Amino acid sequence: MNLETQRLLVRSIQLSDEKPFIEMASDGSLTEIFGDCSECGKWMGDFIKEAIQLDSENNPDREYLAYVIEEKDSRTVVGSVGTSFYEDFQKIGVTYFIGAKFRGRGYAAEALRALVEYFLTSGRVSLFMATARTDNIASCKTLEKAGFHVTDTRLYQDLYDERETLSHFYEIVKS
């Protein structure tokens, strides 16, 4: 995949992305997706190899598709955006993270808009969902800026959550 926005490139993940992903894991950026990342240097290479394989299959109904977000001008890796399959809802969702030093610039929303538009206009996906804890104001704002709308608010326990927390459920539908 190669998508371009005003400021960003959203591209397929490569083996060379291991180092920046490990750096972002060390700043806590991947904790909500992967849980404790203190040992991520041991498994990040395998994660990237699996992500490359899943990207070649290009099937968003699978476990996940992970793409790299780069600043267009500097070609600096700033985060990731992708899809994941919510087995408990049988729906395709979105995932994203931005490295700590690149937050607050609107990169996640910009990359999410590009990813969602790509899949919705391809005809292969007609709806995306997302969840965000209500206390994660930044993530809620990101999803809303990307065009997602709250459809429900209730207790939910996501994959790496220790307990149920009050969460917003979001959707964006092909128009």
Side-chain angles (χ1 to χ4, degrees):
M1 170 181 290
N2 285 301
L3 304 175
E4 190 171 328
T5 71
Q6 181 180 354
R7 302 177 298 160
L8 304 173
L9 299 172
V10 178
R11 63 164 173 80
S12 295
I13 198 167
Q14 303 166 357
L15 292 174
S16 60
D17 296 316
E18 183 175 4
K19 183 179 178 191
F21 272 49
I22 290 171
E23 289 171 4
M24 286 183 282
S26 70
D27 72 18
S29 296
L30 302 175
T31 305
E32 280 197 42
I33 298 171
F34 294 113
D36 178 16
C37 290
S38 60
E39 302 286 322
C40 74
K42 295 180 181 178
W43 53 261
M44 189 62 72
D46 290 335
F47 165 79
I48 289 174
K49 288 175 188 169
E50 182 179 35
I52 291 169
Q53 175 60 40
L54 290 171
D55 182 33
S56 72
E57 296 170 16
N58 197 20
N59 182 355
D61 290 321
R62 292 285 309 249
E63 184 177 345
Y64 67 91
L65 294 174
Y67 304 103
V68 173
I69 303 169
E70 280 186 355
E71 287 180 329
K72 191 188 308 187
D73 292 338
S74 70
R75 300 299 297 240
T76 301
V77 174
V78 300
S80 178
V81 65
T83 68
S84 84
F85 191 72
Y86 281 85
E87 289 187 24
D88 44 353
F89 302 107
Q90 294 296 298
K91 293 181 180 179
I92 299 170
V94 293
T95 62
Y96 54 93
F97 68 85
I98 300 293
K101 63 185 176 183
F102 302 105
R103 291 186 191 145
R105 301 179 193 180
Y107 289 162
E110 187 174 328
L112 274 172
R113 279 192 303 273
L115 178 84
V116 166
E117 181 180 330
Y118 167 79
F119 278 106
L120 291 178
T121 59
S122 74
R124 296 181 327 168
V125 178
S126 60
L127 177 146
F128 278 102
M129 73 166 292
T131 60
R133 290 187 331 265
T134 57
D135 65 350
N136 188 342
I137 305 298
S139 194
C140 293
K141 285 182 179 180
T142 294
L143 289 165
E144 291 163 13
K145 286 179 184 174
F148 284 78
H149 303 281
V150 176
T151 59
D152 195 9
T153 302
R154 67 177 187 267
L155 291 175
Y156 179 65
Q157 185 172 356
D158 206 356
L159 188 59
Y160 291 105
D161 293 341
E162 293 180 12
R163 58 179 166 60
E164 287 185 325
T165 57
L166 192 60
S167 297
H168 289 307
F169 288 75
Y170 292 88
E171 288 185 356
I172 190 168
V173 181
K174 182 178 181 177
S175 52

